[in-house]
Amino acid sequence: MRARLWNHLIVEVWMLNDVIKRAWATHDFKVKMLDWSGARGSRLAYTCRMCGRKFCLFTILNHGTWAVDGEGRALESAVSSRWLGENCPRLLNIGDDEDRKRLSKPPAQ
């Protein structure tokens, strides 16, 4: 039973990764290296030329990709998951402006 559940979870993760890869390929990204550390590698910023959505990732650590606002602050994981799973909307999206206000951590005062 446990092995069966484990296999089911592996298939679900594989399918999710496939959806994300297909959605990612619909964007027209420009890529910029923001910084580098020996432990995490390069932190890369991906900005879509068409829709303006921005994402970051580290090249060494496999912590995934996350959505960021215009200042590079991480957005809520729900926003990241949704944006990563959606195809590029091809135009600036008014709803994205509201999403960019949903920071994962409140700004420091």
Side-chain angles (χ1 to χ4, degrees), residues 5-65:
L5 178 62
W6 181 250
N7 287 338
H8 180 71
L9 289 173
I10 289 172
V11 169
E12 282 186 12
V13 167
W14 181 81
M15 287 172 42
L16 179 61
N17 284 336
D18 190 46
V19 167
I20 289 171
K21 286 177 191 174
R22 282 187 302 213
W24 187 262
T26 65
H27 292 274
D28 179 19
F29 287 116
K30 59 183 174 183
V31 182
K32 179 180 178 182
M33 186 176 90
L34 300 176
D35 51 36
W36 181 87
S37 80
R40 299 180 300 186
S42 298
R43 182 169 54 117
L44 302 177
Y46 288 78
T47 304
C48 181
R49 291 178 181 95
M50 292 183 287
C51 69
R53 289 181 177 181
K54 297 180 180 188
F55 302 90
C56 281
L57 63 83
F58 287 108
T59 56
I60 293 179
L61 288 180
N62 189 16
H63 285 200
T65 304

